[in-house]
Amino acid sequence: YRYVNESANGKATSASDCSTYMKNAVPGQKLLLTYNKDVYQFNADTKPKLIVTTSVGIAPFISLLQEMAQKECLDAKNVIMVYGVKHRYKDFLYGEYLEHLASTDRIRLYPVFSEDNGKHVDDIMTKDSKEVFSQFLRDNIADIDIYACSNCKYLPFTVDE
């Protein structure tokens, strides 16, 4: 998302970090949000998916998982999710829902709590990759959809590896 802020002199200013802007926003202040349409093209089908996300990046994936569940194509054999946050009990958004999906064999969930146990998403994606991707490897699956939503500073390099 990008925000556009109309300043007191009527000129529009914009920036790409919406979170910082929202943190400093004044109640009642007008705000126009824009987005790039079709940035994510979700495929709610049975094709294997790797979902890698951190923090609030989980939000777009909840709707994907719900749509897949509704279409009855959500299965732990075809959905792996690596989800990293700092603290389990403070930051694990949708944690109960995701753990329910994992406990009912709808997804394979790899939660990472960096401040609680010192692990990071890149640890799961590199050091533990054989365990994480064992099902895909066992089934000889080479064609998978990869979805990532997080801080652009680090995550793309982790997924690349």
Side-chain angles (χ1 to χ4, degrees):
Y1 283 92
R2 293 184 59 80
Y3 69 84
V4 178
N5 177 31
E6 190 174 304
S7 64
N9 65 6
K11 284 189 155 189
T13 60
S14 70
S16 59
D17 187 1
C18 191
S19 298
T20 302
Y21 176 78
M22 293 303 291
K23 178 180 160 194
N24 298 320
V26 177
Q29 183 175 350
K30 289 186 179 181
L31 176 70
L32 171 66
L33 292 174
T34 64
Y35 65 96
N36 295 332
K37 188 176 180 188
D38 297 330
V39 170
Y40 270 115
Q41 183 63 43
F42 288 133
N43 295 312
D45 56 21
T46 57
K47 184 177 177 185
K49 291 165 186 40
L50 169 62
I51 300 171
V52 184
T53 186
T54 61
S55 189
V56 297
I58 189 67
F61 301 120
I62 295 301
S63 61
L64 172 66
L65 295 174
Q66 290 171 338
E67 184 178 351
M68 290 178 70
Q70 187 176 36
K71 291 181 176 181
E72 297 183 6
C73 58
L74 190 60
D75 189 302
K77 291 178 194 153
N78 64 8
V79 179
I80 293 174
M81 176 178 277
V82 180
Y83 177 27
V85 296
K86 289 183 180 181
H87 301 281
R88 177 184 192 86
Y89 296 104
K90 285 181 13 185
D91 306 320
F92 195 34
L93 302 174
Y94 301 99
E96 287 182 20
Y97 175 67
L98 296 170
E99 287 176 335
H100 168 73
L101 292 178
S103 70
T104 56
D105 293 326
R106 309 296 291 286
I107 66 172
R108 277 186 290 149
L109 177 65
Y110 294 88
V112 182
F113 308 107
S114 62
E115 297 294 322
D116 294 344
N117 64 16
K119 273 196 151 186
H120 295 83
V121 167
D122 57 331
D123 294 326
I124 299 295
M125 297 296 293
T126 56
K127 296 175 192 162
D128 302 333
S129 62
K130 282 187 181 173
E131 176 194 337
V132 173
F133 303 114
S134 63
Q135 181 72 39
F136 289 168
L137 295 171
R138 226 182 353 265
D139 294 343
N140 242 349
I141 296 172
D143 186 25
I144 65 172
D145 289 338
I146 299 175
Y147 298 103
C149 187
S150 183
N151 181 328
C152 295
K153 192 172 180 181
Y154 303 109
L155 191 62
F157 303 108
T158 300
V159 173
D160 246 3
E161 288 178 18

